[in-house]
Amino acid sequence: MFLGAASFLGPAARAATPPGSTITDTQPSTSWEGHFYALAFTADPAQCPGTVDTANLVCDHFYLNINLPSTFWQTHTGSVAITIQWPSNSNDFDLYIYRTSDQQQVGSSASGGTTSEQVALQNPMPGIYEVRTVPFLVVASGYTGSALLAFTTGGPTPNPVFPTGGISFGAHTIVDPQRTEGEPLVHIDQAGNIWETGPWGFSTAQGFVARSSDNGDSFHIVSPAGLRPNPAPAGGGDTDIITDDQGTAYFADLEGLAHIGVAVSNDQGNNWRENFVAAMSPVDDRQWLAIDDGTSTGVSDNTVFLSYRQIPGGSQVLSSPGSTGPSDFTGGLVFMNAATTVFVGAGAPCGRLIFDPVLRNLYLPCVQGNHVHVSKAHVNPGQRDMLAFSSTDTPARPGGSIGNLFASLTTDQAGNVYVAWVDTANNNVYLTVSTNAGTSWSTPLQVNGDPANTNVMPWAIAGAAGTVDIVFYGTDARGDPNNFPSWYNNRVAATSVKWFVYFTQVQAATTLTPTIYQVKASEHPTDYGQICTGGLGCTTSGGDRTLADFFSVALDTNGAARIVLNDLTNQHHGAALFELRQVAGPSAIGTSLTPPFPNTATGVADPMGDAQVPHYFPGGAGANQAALDLTSLQISQPDSSHIRATLKLQSLATLLPPPGSTGLLWLVRWQFLSTGDAGEQSYRIFYLGANSTGGQNPVFFAGTGTSAAPGSGIPPGNGCVTTTPQNCKIIKYPSEVPETGKINTSTGTIMITVPLSDLGGPVTGDTLYSVTALTFAVTNTNPVLTDGDATRTFDYVLGTTALPSNCPLGKTCLVTGGGYIFVDAQQDKGSFSIEVKVDTTGRIHGKAIYQDPAGGVDFATSLITSATFNGKTVTFKGTGTNNNIATSFTITVQDKAEPGAGKDTFAITLGTGYSKAGTLQAGNIQVH
């Protein structure tokens, strides 16, 4: 092993001070000052084990003694978070943790482009750990380190394992390919249309409504011109939507904590009437809507109930008559107090207001310490005021506190009442049932099982008597969700905690012998790392609240669960909207579900005539755009190195865009397990497409889009519009790589063929998730596209592919090194550090950094798509950022000697036109 002095240049400075420290359950934190490096470039932590690099010349070493009793983790649950920080993201330190008792690496974080790295050790064995800080490429910088032990009492009691019951879910269907929303809420009207709404955040003053009229195969934005139904001056807070038996839609929005706004549509979302001061008590929070359809088939006895929390006082319940039609400016718009008192019940936050049409009771569940406080009022037909609310409390067992945001209440077809919540003592999900309208409750039943060991955001929906479906986000990691590593602070560390959407069905819940089924509803993780459950306090403390506070589930007419969720595993960590459909197993209403369509492996058909632009508008939907009207999508592999998308359209006789638009866009997108822009695991978005401007022949392209710069978020990257640093609001699809395509106007066919290397280099057996064809009308000045059509989503499993590297399958190939070359006659330096590895499956991992201050170059790789090993010469290509601007790259290195100074070579070419090459003046390259 070569430990050359070239890894550290300049005068030796102090090592970590102190060189070690101890943390205990009574002294849970420690910190240290790290080594200062004048110039260092060490890519491989194996070059500097603490037993060899005793003088800290190559890396820095700190020894952390986790001094806990040997039985500590039998009675506690928690983690030790180890963090290093430094001033500038132009420097790059990496963090590796080793257990000294057996030299086992137990954690690592090597992001790049950040000012910190963090590793969270879950329930670590007591003992001494080497904290190895590797200066990947550092100029004139030191660092600071810290370690924090966080734990809760109560050992990790093994969770039960529940059978699936044959329940399964289909592919993730895109609800909105651009706008991101936290806390999506789903509602299914009596005609089977699926409505979704969610806030866009106070920074945008917007919230949105989407709707599916084809049973969830596709969704379209309802809000005219891309705005929310009530375009008042404030907004973007909590939203809710519900419909009555007349098909009228009612919408509510939190107007910047100042008041509650409402809107009504009698024509499926084309026109909205609004009142943005429906409730104007100061400091408002989380409003909910509920509908009483009365006992008749008419509208006269319909009532809209509205609850919200007036923070200084408590919860209020208001009412309004149902809307009688477009000329009614009272129904659903003007509200009055519905209760005999100003405030109802106690506790906060309060879950969704629920009206039970069987026993005609109105329920409001609110968290209160170690139980849920339920307020209940009986509602006579047509009654809208003087509701007498009484209170009931769910059991306090199992003895923790109700946490991780809202409790959820639902009623079944017999009037039985169910309440679900997460207990913060153990982060398990519990269910209690009342068969007498809340007079008494059953002993809480744990309804989550292994591997859903830490859980948040339960939402319940009941069906037939005794059956209830519950969804929640769950992870196999144990601990407080608030203490997991935050993606915003360290993307690599966050991916050590993987969250999935879990679905639980409880049958015979009103008996002493209930049956519990549990499945992972999501095909892949939907989030990583910390989920901050502190509400708005998360944003002020830097926590990750991207998911906001909940997600939801509804039942369709067949009883199938329809889940609307956020997927944050894309490279932007944007809260992308998807819907999951239960396709098999028992339903909540007692039916047995079978897949509604074949699981087509290569493509799907799409109905004709469903590409109106716009889909919703005050004057009604626009005309069908034949050139945007998809009739099918097929994915194929013409050879082992390419992928092909074939789109069929109703007609391509003319490519003229609809009025007000400048062009047309055809897009096929998917996600697959790849690498994010800081080297983290990511189910990254890739796409190929074609665009036509002003009716001209299309140009073809592929891309992926880069995220906002890690840490600062500046610049925001080319793949997303952000409102605050790293907070993705609009996903974009820039044309990054020109590609080959064909258009056949006589058959209405567009065919695009793209090298796999331009799409992240997926390999044999990789799954492309949620493959979807989308069409849009484009306005050049607006990043928000006007949706035309979308195919049903499917997953595509790659057949035999050419590997992105010539490294033989089953073998590991690795190149590491660092140093500098002279880039000009003045001997200005181009410094670099590289670590690129091809694993036994043929996948490429690693990163490279290159800096030329004289040339104005500060480059870091984002995605390495190919690597060629030719003896001691290695060439790797892909995409990265130069001064945080996306660009392609090619790097070639040669390992000619040990040591490498004066012998080894380095060459780099960027898509910007920058190109330098030379012999190493200092440093070393090793091809392993």
Side-chain angles (χ1 to χ4, degrees):
M1 179 177 294
F2 174 71
L3 293 176
S7 291
F8 169 74
L9 302 177
R14 59 180 173 81
T17 306
S21 185
T22 298
I23 56 175
T24 67
D25 55 342
T26 58
Q27 293 181 317
S29 65
T30 189
S31 61
W32 65 95
E33 289 288 330
H35 195 120
F36 181 90
Y37 293 91
L39 174 62
F41 30 77
T42 301
D44 186 1
Q47 290 185 332
C48 52
T51 54
V52 177
D53 185 30
T54 56
N56 296 288
L57 292 177
V58 182
C59 302
D60 202 24
H61 309 273
F62 177 84
Y63 292 90
L64 177 67
N65 183 5
I66 302 177
N67 187 10
L68 299 170
S70 59
T71 59
F72 184 81
W73 296 119
Q74 296 177 19
T75 56
H76 299 81
T77 302
S79 63
V80 173
I82 302 169
T83 307
I84 58 173
Q85 296 176 296
W86 58 96
S88 172
N89 64 2
S90 63
N91 288 310
D92 185 9
F93 288 94
D94 292 338
L95 177 63
Y96 297 86
I97 313 298
Y98 298 85
R99 191 170 51 223
T100 59
S101 61
D102 57 4
Q103 299 304 312
Q104 173 68 41
Q105 180 180 310
V106 295
S108 66
S109 181
S111 300
T114 68
T115 57
S116 69
E117 301 285 358
Q118 184 181 76
V119 170
L121 304 178
Q122 303 295 325
N123 299 351
M125 290 173 51
I128 298 175
Y129 292 78
E130 178 199 342
V131 180
R132 189 178 304 176
T133 300
V134 178
F136 192 83
L137 182 55
V138 177
V139 179
S141 180
Y143 74 95
T144 60
S146 64
L148 175 65
L149 167 67
F151 60 89
T152 57
T153 57
T157 302
N159 277 322
V161 176
F162 296 126
T164 67
I167 295 171
S168 64
F169 285 79
H172 300 205
T173 296
I174 297 171
V175 174
D176 194 322
Q178 285 206 281
R179 302 162 189 82
T180 64
E181 300 171 9
E183 53 194 42
L185 191 145
V186 60
H187 169 75
I188 301 177
D189 64 27
Q190 293 188 5
N193 301 302
I194 305 174
W195 299 74
E196 180 279 333
T197 186
W200 217 24
F202 289 144
S203 64
T204 66
Q206 296 293 323
F208 294 110
V209 174
R211 182 171 179 263
S212 172
S213 58
D214 58 5
N215 197 32
D217 285 351
S218 63
F219 288 78
H220 298 287
I221 192 75
V222 170
S223 315
L227 297 175
R228 62 203 178 108
N230 56 331
D238 305 320
T239 66
D240 195 0
I241 196 163
I242 201 164
T243 60
D244 64 14
D245 58 0
Q246 308 301 304
T248 300
Y250 303 89
F251 173 83
D253 185 35
L254 180 62
E255 307 287 325
L257 297 179
H259 46 85
I260 306 298
V262 295
V264 176
S265 175
N266 301 96
D267 58 2
Q268 292 75 53
N270 286 305
N271 291 275
W272 295 89
R273 301 181 307 286
E274 68 157 326
N275 174 13
F276 65 90
V277 289
M280 202 173 176
S281 299
V283 197
D284 298 340
D285 197 11
R286 188 62 255 185
Q287 81 290 348
W288 301 104
L289 294 169
I291 290 289
D292 172 10
D293 283 325
T295 56
S296 73
T297 58
V299 70
S300 61
D301 55 353
N302 284 7
T303 301
V304 186
F305 291 105
L306 169 67
S307 69
Y308 70 100
R309 179 186 174 205
Q310 199 275 321
I311 293 177
S315 295
Q316 293 184 296
V317 178
L318 311 180
S319 70
S320 177
S323 175
T324 59
S327 60
D328 181 359
F329 288 88
T330 299
L333 295 169
V334 179
F335 286 80
M336 64 179 182
N337 185 21
T340 57
T341 57
V342 175
F343 298 108
V344 171
C350 296
R352 196 177 198 190
L353 186 69
I354 296 295
F355 177 75
D356 169 30
V358 179
L359 301 180
R360 298 198 56 79
N361 289 325
L362 189 65
Y363 298 96
L364 180 66
C366 301
V367 172
Q368 190 177 46
N370 64 356
H371 63 273
V372 178
H373 179 90
V374 179
S375 299
K376 178 188 74 171
H378 183 73
V379 183
N380 293 316
Q383 184 181 4
R384 299 189 179 110
D385 62 359
M386 300 305 292
L387 299 182
F389 280 88
S390 60
S391 297
T392 177
D393 293 335
T394 64
R397 295 182 300 271
S401 63
I402 308 300
N404 294 351
L405 305 169
F406 297 100
S408 179
L409 184 148
T410 184
T411 61
D412 66 22
Q413 294 172 354
N416 299 308
V417 186
Y418 306 80
V419 177
W421 71 91
V422 167
D423 193 313
T424 57
N426 52 24
N427 297 300
N428 288 323
V429 183
Y430 290 90
L431 177 73
T432 184
V433 186
S434 175
T435 58
N436 51 19
T439 301
S440 61
W441 299 89
S442 66
T443 300
L445 172 70
Q446 181 181 331
V447 295
N448 67 288
D450 186 76
N453 295 323
T454 299
N455 308 283
V456 297
M457 304 183 191
W459 191 281
I461 184 74
T467 301
V468 60
D469 291 345
I470 305 169
V471 296
F472 47 90
Y473 294 118
T475 177
D476 60 356
R478 292 181 181 268
D480 184 343
N482 295 278
N483 292 337
F484 293 144
S486 169
W487 187 92
Y488 288 111
N489 297 329
N490 191 287
R491 300 182 184 185
V492 171
T495 60
S496 65
V497 179
K498 297 173 177 61
W499 296 89
F500 291 82
V501 171
Y502 281 89
F503 172 89
T504 290
Q505 185 176 97
V506 184
Q507 299 178 359
T510 58
T511 72
L512 296 177
T513 56
T515 298
I516 301 174
Y517 298 129
Q518 177 180 291
V519 296
K520 280 182 180 176
S522 57
E523 299 180 286
H524 58 75
T526 55
D527 195 11
Y528 295 121
Q530 183 197 53
I531 295 178
C532 185
T533 61
L536 289 178
C538 296
T539 56
T540 60
S541 64
D544 187 348
R545 193 177 174 248
T546 311
L547 285 176
D549 297 339
F550 65 85
F551 70 117
S552 57
V553 60
L555 301 178
D556 65 19
T557 54
N558 295 320
R562 311 298 283 261
I563 306 168
V564 173
L565 67 139
N566 290 132
D567 178 10
L568 277 62
T569 61
N570 56 74
Q571 64 267 40
H572 311 293
H573 198 62
L577 287 167
F578 290 88
E579 188 244 10
L580 288 174
R581 177 192 310 193
Q582 184 187 356
V583 297
S587 79
I589 63 173
T591 57
S592 182
L593 301 172
T594 56
F597 33 73
N599 184 19
T600 49
T602 60
V604 292
D606 191 72
M608 190 177 296
D610 59 347
Q612 291 79 23
V613 175
H615 283 272
Y616 299 90
F617 195 71
N624 186 67
Q625 302 295 316
L628 298 179
D629 188 4
L630 292 158
T631 61
S632 71
L633 165 67
Q634 184 177 16
I635 299 295
S636 60
Q637 293 173 248
D639 56 50
S640 62
S641 299
H642 292 80
I643 193 167
R644 175 177 292 161
T646 303
L647 295 81
K648 294 269 190 175
L649 288 304
Q650 180 185 346
S651 174
L652 293 173
T654 175
L655 302 183
L656 287 173
S661 301
T662 57
L664 305 178
L665 174 64
W666 301 268
L667 192 77
V668 180
R669 58 152 279 176
W670 59 81
Q671 292 174 249
F672 86 94
L673 180 56
S674 183
T675 305
D677 294 322
E680 77 279 13
Q681 180 186 105
S682 172
Y683 285 82
R684 192 178 185 109
I685 297 170
F686 292 91
Y687 51 87
L688 52 82
N691 60 63
S692 166
T693 302
Q696 301 300 308
N697 285 333
V699 294
F700 305 97
F701 63 91
T704 180
T706 56
S707 66
S712 67
I714 301 173
N718 70 348
C720 208
V721 175
T722 60
T723 53
T724 55
Q726 300 188 85
N727 185 9
C728 175
K729 289 297 185 182
I730 304 171
I731 297 172
K732 300 193 298 182
Y733 301 91
S735 303
E736 293 182 328
V737 185
E739 300 294 356
T740 300
K742 298 178 181 180
I743 179 170
N744 188 324
T745 56
S746 62
T747 61
T749 303
I750 294 175
M751 182 183 295
I752 309 166
T753 304
V754 178
L756 291 170
S757 59
D758 289 349
L759 294 166
V763 299
T764 305
D766 277 349
T767 298
L768 310 185
Y769 292 101
S770 302
V771 180
T772 310
L774 303 141
T775 62
F776 303 93
V778 179
T779 303
N780 286 340
T781 58
N782 191 346
V784 178
L785 306 168
T786 302
D787 55 321
D789 199 3
T791 61
R792 179 165 50 83
T793 293
F794 66 100
D795 296 338
Y796 179 81
V797 179
L798 283 169
T800 302
T801 66
L803 293 175
S805 170
N806 63 342
C807 184
L809 283 175
K811 182 180 179 181
T812 297
C813 298
L814 175 67
V815 57
T816 61
Y820 65 81
I821 60 174
F822 290 148
V823 296
D824 53 32
Q826 290 73 39
Q827 297 190 346
D828 289 312
K829 298 173 182 176
S831 303
F832 70 93
S833 188
I834 58 173
E835 181 184 20
V836 177
K837 176 182 178 180
V838 181
D839 66 22
T840 56
T841 69
R843 291 172 172 83
I844 304 172
H845 311 273
K847 64 179 179 178
I849 292 176
Y850 173 81
Q851 295 174 347
D852 172 6
V857 173
D858 186 358
F859 172 77
T861 58
S862 298
L863 190 63
I864 301 173
T865 56
S866 70
T868 302
F869 288 76
N870 185 9
K872 292 294 185 177
T873 300
V874 180
T875 298
F876 53 99
K877 302 178 181 180
T879 58
T881 57
N882 180 33
N883 296 310
N884 291 315
I885 305 298
T887 183
S888 59
F889 76 90
T890 300
I891 292 175
T892 299
V893 295
Q894 289 182 303
D895 177 12
K896 291 187 171 182
E898 300 293 341
K903 302 288 181 64
D904 293 350
T905 66
F906 173 87
I908 182 170
T909 299
L910 303 181
T912 60
Y914 178 92
S915 183
K916 296 293 179 181
T919 300
L920 268 61
Q921 302 303 308
N924 189 50
I925 292 168
Q926 288 185 309
V927 177
H928 305 263

